[in-house]
Amino acid sequence: MNYLKIILLLVLVFNLNFLYSQRPGGGAGQGQVANQMPSKPGVGGKLIDAQTNKPIPYASVALYNLSDSKLVGGSISSEDGRFFIETPNGNYSIEISFMGYDRFKKSEIQITDKMPMARLGIIKLNQAVVKLEGVEVIGNQSYVEYKIDRKVVNVERDLGASGGSAVDALENVPSVSVDIEGNVALRGSSNFVVMINGKPSPLSGGDALQQIPTAMIKNIEIITNPSAKYDPDGMSGIINVILKDNVSNGFNGFVEASYGSFGTYGVNSVLNYRKDKINYFVGLDAQKGRMPGTSGSDLINFASDTNMLRTSEISRMRGRSNYTAKAGIDYYLNAKNTISLEGAYGLKTGLKNFTGNIYERTNPTTYQLFTISQSVSSNEGEFYSGNLTWQHLFKREGEKLEATAFYSKDTDNDVEDQKENLSDASFTNYGPIDDWYHTTEEEVNSDLRLKADYTRTLSRERKLEAGLQSRIYREENNFVFTSFDTLSDTWLTNANQGNRIAFDRDIHAGYLTYSGVFRKTGYQLGMRGEYTYRSIEELDGGENYVINRFDFFPTIHLSQKIGESNSILASYSRRVDRPDGGELNPNPMFISSNFIRVGNPALEDEYTDNIELSYQKTLKNSFVSLEAYYRSTKNKISRLQQMDENNITYMSFANMDRDYSLGLELMANLQFTKWFRMNLSGNYYYYHLLGNLYSGAVDQSNYNYDFRADLNFMITSLMRFQLNGMYRAPSVTAQGEMAEFYMLNTALRYDFFDRKLTATLNVKDIFNTGRHEFYTYSSSFNNHNQFNRQGPQINLTLSYKINNYTKEKRNGMEEKREEGGGEM
């Protein structure tokens, strides 16, 4: 029955398309031209980026009377870069401006009875170029650009991210926070989706972002309220990483090497070759990271008359290595058909080595226990992915079909040893073994996705999009737990604390979006239907947890232009967060002998209603945005802790009743002079969490805020300096609160050899203030934990460009831009 609903939705989509094509004037029949200019007299054209050939939306277009230079009309370019200004007969000049691009000017535009329409055709805009004391300097593109449904982070503007990964690039991005462990949160939530070039990543969350070096990233899109075209997964939205490409004929690419504190290094390169209809590329990436630090905790268990107190001080070393090779080919069959094939293969290793001193006692004092804890774990795995895409452009302009097949497979093998030895009070002498555990975990998962997207432009202002998608995910997990028996001097397998899990999830979806303009108000309406089947089976016996359901996800986006420089945007979406294998897996993960993490296979999906309203104002060389948002989540998934009679703490997951967030986010890109730009963002919101736990009702609320500042100085035409800092205020959790967090970073960049070679020196966490601290309260115990990352971290990066955007190419583009040629 659920499959029938999907089929009916698809039939509805194409019936709408068919009915429209039968209406008088509804379709572009033979001899007609789609996206025609309006029948009214005026001036129109289309704006595209001279380097990428992509449309430029939201550019300011001003029309002046040629005789007295008075402003007679204006417009803002649409999503596809088009603009039109209605005007009576006369002689005019036009000026087009957009932040980060050269201004375009054209005079002697005539509107007469015989020629009531001035078609300027395709106008190519170049990135801004200015002259400083006779030296050509590429203009300062905004670090963060704001579009109707997303924020676009230009990673090359963040000097401090050089030599790092996508996680480092996100540390100074509005709406995003990163803690010292590299965990990423989007508007306070770790429930977001990672995509690469609009396609799903073979890894998830922070793991996926850690794998991508910044040298390969063109920009990162932060989409907090996606349309129905996108998967609804992720309560807080989508982080889409756009990789660099260069499709000009010939050979080009880059090579980058970096070295930093604690033996961290990275080497990566991408080489591209295009000739006529075929474009090839290969890429290699090798990274090794080390993160030393410390942690500590103070726990008190007051469940009985005699309180138990435990103090831990731990030295931590975390390391990771990633080695990835990728290759791809784009074949341009003809002007209407393109086939792309790309694949990637990677190896990954991880290491954790923790040594701790643990002091345990009672109050009143009846005993004292001193132990030295050692935890060593290693992870080895491999992953590969492949993606095949076919794009067909129809004869009618604005009509296309794109089909994609994606497959990935990921394997992980984890081995961990937990050992505690008795010691003296000074922790200098090892005594007999108190506890010794050995665990192994093998995980294999695969992900197959098939997708077809159809787009049709119905008129200059209306567009229809529809599509179908199937996602088939399989995961198997085998966990084995053994403990050392000191009496028999042997290892014993505990079957009760190990198991094998099979996790299946199938999702079949169909969507429809319709966008247009009604009385100067832009709109996009969308609906997505999804059928989900989820099964978690304990293969060695036990329960089988199944979810079988159909959901609808509506979306609404509205935009209103006010004058030339103001706009108001509003949007609504319904989203879902599906728990991952780690949250569902009932296998115990031993963080230490007295702290164990256990998943909950009975977890249900979270459902979130998200509303946003924003005001945006474009100044001469600056941009300001104020955004209000409201988010309500049902079946909120929270981390919970409880302690048993043996003073062992168990962390698990449970569905709360609901949580609410209501906030304001202020963002500003301010260009004060040609040599100084500042990017500021602040977020202030009220958070309320409601639910019921085994310890009783939960009703937590507080006001949260964070602030970020990014200062960029162009010292000379070849040297740039950057200083950025962030602050995050305390916040509440289901069982406690998180402490404040702040950090200051700096970077210096210098270009050599006509900007082909770039050296960047960055220092992260200058004052070593980066830490993660939280408090947990319950009716039977209180716990205080703190994690500190060793700092500051220093990194030097060298990057060399091969045949990238030579001056001859830029001059050629400049000539075409001045001509403004091409047909509409």
Side-chain angles (χ1 to χ4, degrees), residues 437-471:
Y437 306 121
H438 178 82
T439 63
T440 61
E441 185 175 11
E442 299 176 358
E443 179 183 310
V444 179
N445 65 69
S446 63
D447 189 8
L448 172 64
R449 304 193 183 197
L450 304 174
K451 185 178 183 181
D453 296 301
Y454 172 77
T455 302
R456 180 167 183 173
T457 302
L458 305 177
S459 67
R460 189 178 68 91
E461 297 176 337
R462 291 182 296 164
K463 183 170 67 174
L464 176 73
E465 294 180 284
L468 291 175
Q469 177 178 289
S470 288
R471 302 159 57 184

Side-chain angles (χ1 to χ4, degrees), residues 538-568:
E538 298 186 55
L539 299 179
D540 294 328
E543 294 189 56
N544 186 14
Y545 300 87
V546 175
I547 286 180
N548 194 342
R549 63 185 302 160
F550 193 92
D551 295 298
F552 287 99
F553 300 95
T555 63
I556 302 173
H557 290 75
L558 302 173
S559 64
Q560 177 69 54
K561 300 294 182 182
I562 305 175
E564 294 185 28
S565 59
N566 300 275
S567 60
I568 297 177

Side-chain angles (χ1 to χ4, degrees), residues 6 8 188 192 284 319 346 365 368 377 392 509 523 544 655 679 686 695 698 739 776 810 824:
I6 296 175
L8 289 175
F192 58 87
L284 295 173
T365 302
Q368 297 185 91
S377 66
H392 173 71
Y523 62 87
N544 186 14
N655 290 108
N679 182 75
Y686 171 76
S695 57
V698 174
T776 303
R810 288 185 58 82
M824 183 69 174

Side-chain angles (χ1 to χ4, degrees), residues 178-199:
V178 181
D179 68 19
I180 63 170
E181 301 289 326
N183 299 310
V184 179
L186 180 56
R187 279 195 177 154
S189 172
S190 59
N191 299 325
F192 58 87
V193 173
V194 175
M195 304 182 77
I196 300 174
N197 289 338
K199 302 177 180 67

